[in-house]
Amino acid sequence: MRVLLTGGAGYIGSHTALCLLNAGYDVIVLDNLSNSSPEALRRVEKLTGKSAPLIVGDCTDRNDLKRVFETGPIDAVIHFAGFKAVGESVEKPLDYYDNNLSATIHLCEVMKEYGCHIIVFSSSATVYGTNQTMPLREDFPTGCTNPYGWTKWISERILTDAAAADRDMSVVLLRYFNPIGAHESGCIGEDPSGIPLNLMPYVCQVASGKLQRLRVFGNDYPTPDGTGVRDYIHVCDLAEGHLAALRYAAENRGTQVVNLGTGVGYSVLDIVKAFEKANDLTIPYDICPRRPGDIATCYADVQKAKEVLHWQAKRTLEDMCKDAWNWQKNNPRGYEK
Ligand code: NAD
Ligand code: UFG
């Protein structure tokens, strides 16, 4: 099976490329490198001993998409490509709607033209919006609080409607919770540009001395220790979830929406303590005001992933903390873009 990974040079895409190659799939990547480095795929090739060809191009450009489909038959697409910074999406909503939605629409059109019917899409737990009971189940109401979230919500809608109109199509919408960690080799990992916005990369940079102290955003949430609770999932478990989704999509038609999480929530201070214990380090931190837009608690109901995809996360929080630090330690300047 030959699979196109749009955005495959990025954090989740590169780990998925590695996982697919190891499972015997052929992979081709289309990425405009707006938030990634080709070095990630060179390392994937080194780790697997297999080729992960990269076409540098844009998913919003039909000619670039056609260029990929002209390289030979593509059986399925995993659509990672998109902008993903929540705060930036509030400042530049049109850029986000343009990039993330044009990419999804043009990709679907070109897939249809070339007879490719299977698509797995990177959605997000952010589509559940606020004021929900936990754990979040796939049939809960949805709604978003920022343009990034709406691009995921609308892309889900576009793909669902496209599948309803084309009986050959198979769509799996994967709602990721909080991916962290890195491949155990320490050769590929998350390489944020500038000061990290997310918790784990920030913790790693405090551990390395690049940043001085962690800011814990709020300790007055209605959670056991007052800090925000999230469902952190090892990026390699997440990558394996895509493999399971591809297997499912190859056998079934229509649309499925599935959470990819562990079903367990950890607080910010749980993460700090686990990271310190796993790596024998100290993370200095200050309690700061809440970050606007954050919710208290978010974790997944994982029953559907087990039943439909026959997949569940295996790796522990200790694995996530060790692997995140191993990557950071070995690559203090990331891929050195
Ligand atoms: P990433 O930024 O590392 O990867 C996205 C890749 O897409 C990058 O390599 C970027 O260069 C590429 N890209 C962006 N726009 C493109 C375009 N128009 N054409 C071609 N390439 C383009 O992000 P990631 O963390 O690997 O996330 C992958 C997907 O998962 C994204 O769609 C993201 O929104 C979604 N997601 C991520 C998280 C998370 O916490 N990391 C959570 C939920 C959902
Ligand atoms: N946090 C801190 N200090 C930091 C960074 C984060 O205390 O420096 C806290 C946040 O307040 C939150 C928790 O750590 O309680 C996790 O925050 P992240 O920024 O790592 O992740 P979010 O849950 O806010 O958001 C992530 C992705 C979104 C995605 C969402 C759900 O960034 O794109 O998960 O999948 F939508």
Side-chain angles (χ1 to χ4, degrees):
M1 195 174 191
R2 186 161 177 263
V3 185
L4 164 62
L5 309 188
T6 72
Y11 172 45
I12 302 169
S14 55
H15 287 81
T16 305
L18 185 144
C19 178
L20 293 183
L21 289 169
N22 281 337
Y25 288 75
D26 288 326
V27 157
I28 183 164
V29 172
L30 174 66
D31 200 304
N32 64 8
L33 303 179
S34 58
N35 195 38
S36 53
S37 160
E39 177 61 15
L41 292 172
R42 286 196 280 271
R43 295 189 186 185
V44 166
E45 291 186 333
K46 237 184 184 170
L47 286 166
T48 58
K50 294 179 180 171
S51 128
L54 165 68
I55 295 197
V56 178
D58 206 297
C59 291
T60 64
D61 182 331
R62 289 174 65 96
N63 291 326
D64 285 352
L65 285 163
K66 284 185 177 183
R67 215 154 35 96
V68 180
F69 280 85
E70 287 295 332
T71 62
I74 290 173
D75 302 296
V77 177
I78 308 183
H79 182 32
F80 297 105
F83 295 155
K84 64 165 184 176
V86 173
E88 188 181 59
S89 79
V90 176
E91 284 155 29
K92 301 178 183 170
L94 299 182
D95 289 359
Y96 270 68
Y97 285 116
D98 185 24
N99 189 56
N100 294 3
L101 299 182
S102 303
T104 302
I105 292 169
H106 287 124
L107 175 62
C108 284
E109 286 170 351
V110 174
M111 283 175 66
K112 195 172 171 73
E113 202 177 316
Y114 284 82
C116 177
H117 303 298
I118 297 176
I119 181 163
V120 175
F121 176 64
S122 298
S123 190
S124 166
T126 195
V127 301
Y128 288 112
T130 50
N131 299 324
Q132 305 269 18
T133 51
M134 298 294 149
L136 292 165
R137 222 177 46 216
E138 288 85 349
D139 59 357
F140 279 13
T142 52
C144 303
T145 54
N146 57 72
Y148 164 73
W150 284 115
T151 69
K152 292 298 175 193
W153 192 95
I154 299 167
S155 288
E156 285 197 359
R157 190 72 257 157
I158 291 168
L159 290 165
T160 304
D161 289 346
D166 179 350
R167 285 172 174 275
D168 289 332
M169 255 183 109
S170 181
V171 172
V172 184
L173 307 171
L174 296 177
R175 292 182 180 159
Y176 309 159
F177 282 67
N178 288 57
I180 59 171
H183 187 253
E184 60 184 5
S185 63
C187 294
I188 57 169
E190 189 170 10
D191 183 16
S193 44
I195 296 177
L197 301 170
N198 297 119
L199 179 63
M200 185 53 94
Y202 202 104
V203 167
C204 285
Q205 294 199 9
V206 172
S208 73
K210 205 165 162 184
L211 296 168
Q212 294 206 318
R213 300 174 74 80
L214 173 68
R215 289 172 305 158
V216 175
F217 295 137
N219 68 346
D220 57 353
Y221 285 106
T223 61
D225 65 16
T227 67
V229 166
R230 296 291 182 276
D231 185 337
Y232 296 94
I233 173 168
H234 195 295
V235 67
C236 293
D237 278 329
L238 195 76
E240 287 164 13
H242 291 77
L243 189 62
L246 275 183
R247 287 189 178 129
Y248 171 86
E251 299 294 324
N252 298 275
R253 297 287 165 265
T255 302
Q256 279 290 358
V257 45
V258 185
N259 289 335
L260 293 187
T262 64
V264 180
Y266 288 107
S267 74
V268 176
L269 293 180
D270 288 336
I271 296 293
V272 170
K273 282 180 213 143
F275 189 92
E276 290 181 331
K277 184 158 179 248
N279 299 309
D280 197 17
L281 286 162
T282 303
I283 303 298
Y285 67 84
D286 299 309
I287 303 293
C288 297
R290 291 182 179 191
R291 184 170 66 176
D294 275 355
I295 55 174
T297 304
C298 174
Y299 57 91
D301 185 311
V302 294
Q303 205 50 38
K304 191 168 176 190
K306 285 184 200 163
E307 283 171 12
V308 173
L309 302 185
H310 308 295
W311 167 92
Q312 68 183 82
K314 299 191 296 253
R315 294 165 180 85
T316 64
L317 182 58
E318 186 185 1
D319 297 330
M320 301 182 216
C321 292
K322 277 195 168 148
D323 291 338
W325 175 234
N326 190 32
W327 153 255
Q328 173 73 39
K329 207 171 41 181
N330 291 341
N331 305 271
R333 292 201 297 269
Y335 294 116
E336 306 200 57
K337 280 195 267 294

